[in-house]
Each structure stands twice: as structure tokens, then as C-alpha cells.
Amino acid sequence: MDWKKKLREEGYIELDGLRIELSLDNTFLDIDYIPRVLVYAEETGRWHVLRNPIPKGKTLEEGWDNAVEVLDAIARGEVKPDLGEPDVETRLVNALRKLNGCP
């Protein structure tokens, strides 16, 4: 199964000691929820929030599609991930590139 489709359908994927999850944020207690990507790294034992901007979208589904598109842009090397932890960022890029069939 395509990793993007699996992520959208199941809400998470696990690979190379990382768990990537789609989540929602309501930090400002607005009515609207903001799509977020969370990355759990076994090596740090912590969750990391992807800080790259994710376009909101008109619906929740569209917002999550946009989150997956940001991850795909990272996989293609068009966007550098911002997780606040360079080693985890590098591991995320390598894992996503591997899913896309890149060396």
C-alpha cells in the first residue's frame, strides 16, 4: 500500500524507529482544529511536532491531505522538516525518501 494512502487511512505509519501520526491541535481554543504531524522517535523517547506550516484546508479531511502533502514534499527534498531536533529530522527525511523508493 502507498505510504501516503496508509497514513491517511490509518492515521499513522511506523518505520525505522519512528512513528508518524496525523493529529489535531486546538491550541488557541478556537472552533477550528489545525492539522498537525507528530513524530515519535524511539531513540529520544519523545514526541516531536513538525513545525512546518500546513495549509488549513476547508474541511478536516482536506487539512489532513495537506499534512500528507507536506510530508511528501519533505520526502521529495523540496522542504526541510522542522522538528527542533536535527538528528530526528535527518532520520525522518531518510525514512520518507526510502518509502518513496529513493536511496
Side-chain angles (χ1 to χ4, degrees):
M1 177 185 282
D2 175 47
W3 70 269
K4 293 173 276 191
K5 183 176 179 181
K6 181 177 180 180
L7 181 58
R8 275 296 286 119
E9 289 178 0
E10 297 182 16
Y12 73 96
I13 54 174
E14 293 180 344
L15 54 142
D16 298 337
L18 299 175
R19 180 180 174 104
I20 303 167
E21 285 191 13
L22 297 179
S23 186
L24 295 173
D25 187 6
N26 188 290
T27 305
F28 302 108
L29 300 176
D30 281 335
I31 294 172
D32 295 329
Y33 287 92
I34 301 165
R36 292 280 185 235
V37 174
L38 306 176
V39 178
Y40 178 78
E42 288 179 4
E43 72 182 36
T44 65
R46 294 186 16 228
W47 286 96
H48 305 271
V49 177
L50 186 69
R51 297 180 182 131
N52 297 65
I54 298 172
K56 185 175 171 195
K58 294 178 183 172
T59 66
L60 179 57
E61 297 298 320
E62 189 178 313
W64 274 336
D65 288 341
N66 291 342
V68 172
E69 285 303 312
V70 169
L71 287 171
D72 192 38
I74 290 169
R76 292 188 312 265
E78 297 169 6
V79 174
K80 181 183 180 306
D82 181 3
L83 294 167
E85 182 108 14
D87 290 339
V88 178
E89 292 168 0
T90 299
R91 288 187 58 224
L92 176 64
V93 168
N94 291 338
L96 290 173
R97 287 182 53 78
K98 189 166 144 184
L99 285 174
N100 270 1
C102 299

